[in-house]
Amino acid sequence: LGDFARSPHQRRLVSDEQGMSMILQQFVANVRAAGHASSIVPIQGPSTQVLRGFATLASRGELPERPQVIYLDSSHKPLETLLEVELAWGVLAFSGVLWGDDWDTVESAVRYWGSRRAAEPN
């Protein structure tokens, strides 16, 4: 957020006194209001760390169910996006959905990942 987040007044527009993202708070409020709190679990953190944590839990048999949907807010850096997509795909349920935004900044990495996946034997 650069200079925007430097002033205390402007920081309050993005996070509360405890540093929790206002966007995340609004998302959680919307999920609860829509009655989906039992099926949507927002997890805040660096995506590679969170996804590696899921992979570890899955490999140990400690993940009761793999995620059906993963919304990935990518780093937008091509190599990191490639890693994020690969990690997310590895923990996603068989018939799950992986999605995100900012296609214009992640398209090349996602297309490259898709071409590599298509070339792998089934």
Side-chain angles (χ1 to χ4, degrees), residues 86-107:
E86 187 67 31
L87 290 169
W89 191 255
V91 300
L92 194 62
F94 176 73
S95 59
V97 176
L98 174 60
W99 65 293
D101 58 16
D102 300 328
W103 179 249
D104 58 323
T105 60
V106 300
E107 179 180 5

Side-chain angles (χ1 to χ4, degrees), residues 40-52:
I40 296 176
V41 180
I43 301 173
Q44 186 177 6
S47 58
T48 53
Q49 290 178 8
V50 170
L51 293 166
R52 282 187 174 122

Side-chain angles (χ1 to χ4, degrees), residues 34-89:
H36 297 296
S38 65
S39 59
I40 296 176
V41 180
I43 301 173
Q44 186 177 6
S47 58
T48 53
Q49 290 178 8
V50 170
L51 293 166
R52 282 187 174 122
F54 268 107
T56 299
L57 292 173
S59 70
R60 293 179 183 164
E62 297 174 11
L63 190 62
E65 184 178 341
R66 289 179 175 261
Q68 298 293 316
V69 177
I70 295 177
Y71 174 85
L72 182 61
D73 188 3
S74 170
S75 73
H76 303 169
K77 297 173 185 166
L79 291 177
E80 193 164 345
T81 297
L82 185 62
L83 175 61
E84 291 167 331
V85 170
E86 187 67 31
L87 290 169
W89 191 255

